Amino acid sequence: MGNGKKRFETRVIHDGYDAQQHFGALAPPLYQTSTFTFSSAEQGEARFAGEEEGNIYSRLGNPTVRILEEKMTSLENGKAALAFGSGMAAVSAVLLHLVKTGDHIICSRGVYGCTFGLLEILDEKFHISHNFVDMSTEEGIRHAITNDTACIYVESPINPTMELIDLALVTRVAKEYAIPVVVDNTFCTPYLQQPLTLGANYIVHSATKYIGGHGDVVGGLIVGDSQEQIKLISMSTQKDIGGIMSPFDAWLLNRGLKTLAIRMDRHCLNAEKIASYLRDQSLIKNIYFPGLKDHPSHPIAASQMKNYGGMISFEMNGTKETAQAFMNELKLIKIAVSLGDAETLIQHPASMTHAIVPKKVKEQMGISDTLLRLSVGLEAWEDVCEDIDQALKKIDTMAVF
Ligand SMILES: *Cc1c(COP(=O)(O)O)cnc(C)c1O
């Protein structure tokens, strides 16, 4: 049995950490220090020259952060990883690494709201253009590629409509043109989807979400398929722009990650139950959840993901006011952006996560005024359904639609 590489559920607990290098401590220690002392001037010189491995200064690397980076490298089947102070710091670092003035970025039809904001900055200040492309066909992808295309940036599932992208198809076409592919794997985590294995070159994560899993950290990660490229990012964009992760946040993430596999199983189970409950409600229409057999992306989900994830979006019958009134009637479910926490969260993308996106682009992205996004938590799913049920009943009697 086995080829020496342990299963995911084991690696998520053990990889990246060797207790014997840390006084035998079972839990990875917190190295809450800004700098590291050298035993001699010559040692300092050798470390700066890169001739001797070792710590220098926490913006250039920290042992607690490195444990997280090594664990994530293993889980994503990558070659190296870097941790950042937020998901957006990771997204901006990888894009700044890959593009220069005059270049062009191809994006999936929808992207996270602040990624959209970053693309606008790159366009306006640095003349780096982008367009949002339907990647469902090979022709569509080929058609979008120009001589200036320096990178393909993809979310799958696309937030918040849960449309999936066939990652193997995108990376196969990109390889013909030697264009690097970046995948935002925040919604899936490496437990459900491993884009590097499907040919992508970089993964970015908002570690704030499922990686942390407890709603107490903001953090980000890049995992790459090339040690050299990751080294270049660490020695340039990360070191000189400086959006690093703090040791304490890495410590919390190392702790949160240990339960990733069992948490994801429960998120997925709860989401399936809640999606099928929502389907029977007359005030709710158009449920976007890849686990539903009639979701257009269901076949891709079945082939590319281990399970369907914990995120559900749906539209309500009525108006924006109906959707907001419904949110206000919820008791157990909290109104908040972010996702992947133990608590079930609901948000209104058109006025919250995607408020910055112009109305016309929102329509193209499928973000209507009655669309709500639910991040299914770890509670008993029956209690979550009961909360939705009592809120729907109140809306019904108020006749706000
Ligand atoms: C939250 C999120 C981000 C940004 O991450 P932060 O940690 O908030 O900076 C990027 N992509 C996706 C898909 C996200 O959900």
Side-chain angles (χ1 to χ4, degrees):
M1 231 174 81
N3 55 6
K5 191 154 184 177
K6 302 275 191 292
R7 289 154 190 81
F8 188 95
E9 293 81 349
T10 307
R11 288 189 283 131
V12 79
I13 294 167
H14 291 278
D15 277 13
Y17 182 61
D18 176 4
Q20 291 320 309
Q21 292 183 14
H22 302 274
F23 297 101
L26 177 70
L30 169 58
Y31 288 89
Q32 186 72 23
T33 183
S34 56
T35 197
F36 297 84
T37 58
F38 307 127
S39 60
S40 67
E42 288 76 12
Q43 184 182 54
E45 182 179 11
R47 293 222 179 141
F48 269 89
E51 290 156 6
E52 181 188 300
E53 287 283 309
N55 299 303
I56 296 176
Y57 180 70
S58 279
R59 179 157 41 73
L60 314 180
N62 172 284
T64 308
V65 178
R66 206 166 301 115
I67 291 164
L68 172 67
E69 291 168 341
E70 289 186 6
K71 198 185 278 289
M72 285 303 294
T73 302
S74 162
L75 299 179
E76 288 283 11
N77 284 318
K79 291 280 162 38
L82 292 172
F84 291 83
S86 70
M88 285 318 302
V91 172
S92 56
V94 78
L95 286 179
L96 290 178
H97 172 65
L98 291 174
V99 299
K100 60 178 189 325
T101 295
D103 282 348
H104 167 239
I105 304 170
I106 293 178
C107 302
S108 49
R109 202 141 56 151
V111 290
Y112 180 72
C114 297
T115 303
F116 182 88
L118 171 67
L119 291 165
E120 294 276 291
I121 296 174
L122 293 178
D123 191 6
E124 281 162 25
K125 299 188 75 170
F126 304 104
H127 305 292
I128 296 160
S129 62
H130 61 269
N131 53 355
F132 299 104
V133 173
D134 176 359
M135 299 192 186
S136 57
T137 64
E138 186 165 335
E139 297 69 49
I141 305 166
R142 278 187 205 283
H143 188 69
I145 294 174
T146 73
N147 287 338
D148 296 325
T149 304
C151 145
I152 298 181
Y153 186 93
V154 174
E155 284 185 21
S156 182
I158 295 176
N159 178 23
T161 52
M162 304 302 143
E163 176 191 336
L164 303 194
I165 305 237
D166 182 339
L167 297 177
L169 172 69
V170 173
T171 61
R172 179 164 58 76
V173 177
K175 275 206 171 45
E176 280 179 41
Y177 300 82
I179 299 169
V181 175
V182 182
V183 178
D184 184 331
N185 206 26
T186 301
F187 273 37
C188 281
T189 83
Y191 183 61
L192 299 183
Q193 170 173 286
Q194 293 165 7
L196 296 182
T197 310
L198 298 170
N201 306 98
Y202 299 91
I203 303 296
V204 290
H205 274 289
S206 169
T208 314
K209 316 294 167 55
Y210 291 108
I211 300 292
H214 294 73
D216 49 13
V217 188
V218 173
L221 290 149
I222 300 175
V223 190
D225 70 344
S226 150
Q227 232 159 11
E228 294 72 41
Q229 293 300 312
I230 292 294
K231 181 95 183 157
L232 284 175
I233 298 176
S234 97
M235 297 311 291
S236 58
T237 339
Q238 190 187 43
K239 173 171 80 68
D240 297 337
I241 294 181
I244 56 147
M245 177 178 285
S246 80
F248 183 57
D249 287 345
W251 186 85
L252 285 170
L253 291 168
N254 285 332
R255 175 174 148 129
L257 261 177
K258 289 189 188 182
T259 54
L260 179 71
I262 55 171
R263 283 190 283 112
M264 292 314 291
D265 282 343
R266 181 60 174 259
H267 283 300
C268 292
L269 171 78
N270 281 1
E272 276 195 46
K273 298 286 190 193
I274 292 166
S276 68
Y277 160 81
L278 289 173
R279 160 172 259 180
D280 296 334
Q281 308 310 312
S282 59
L283 282 177
I284 287 171
K285 59 174 185 181
N286 298 341
I287 302 163
Y288 303 107
F289 177 63
L292 292 175
K293 295 227 160 34
D294 56 3
H295 187 281
S297 295
H298 182 74
I300 303 179
S303 71
Q304 164 172 300
M305 291 165 64
K306 180 186 167 80
N307 206 332
Y308 302 108
M311 300 297 297
I312 304 172
S313 293
F314 57 88
E315 284 177 304
M316 300 207 47
N317 282 316
T319 61
K320 176 182 169 189
E321 286 67 35
T322 321
Q324 289 184 325
F326 166 72
M327 292 168 83
N328 290 335
E329 289 302 334
L330 293 166
K331 295 193 166 75
L332 180 70
I333 299 171
K334 304 295 179 233
I335 304 173
V337 297
S338 200
L339 57 110
D341 294 328
E343 297 81 0
T344 296
L345 306 178
I346 196 163
Q347 68 113 352
H348 182 250
S351 67
M352 295 180 181
T353 50
H354 291 69
I356 152 184
V357 179
K359 193 157 177 59
K360 200 162 154 272
V361 185
K362 258 186 229 169
E363 278 163 19
Q364 287 160 4
M365 289 182 172
I367 302 169
S368 71
D369 271 349
T370 63
L371 183 78
L372 295 174
R373 191 190 74 184
L374 198 66
S375 166
V376 174
L378 302 174
E379 302 97 338
W381 60 267
E382 295 91 335
D383 289 328
V384 178
C385 290
E386 280 169 25
D387 192 31
I388 296 172
D389 211 59
Q390 64 81 26
L392 287 175
K393 288 206 171 80
K394 290 219 182 84
I395 301 300
D396 216 3
T397 54
M398 276 187 223
V400 263
F401 55 94

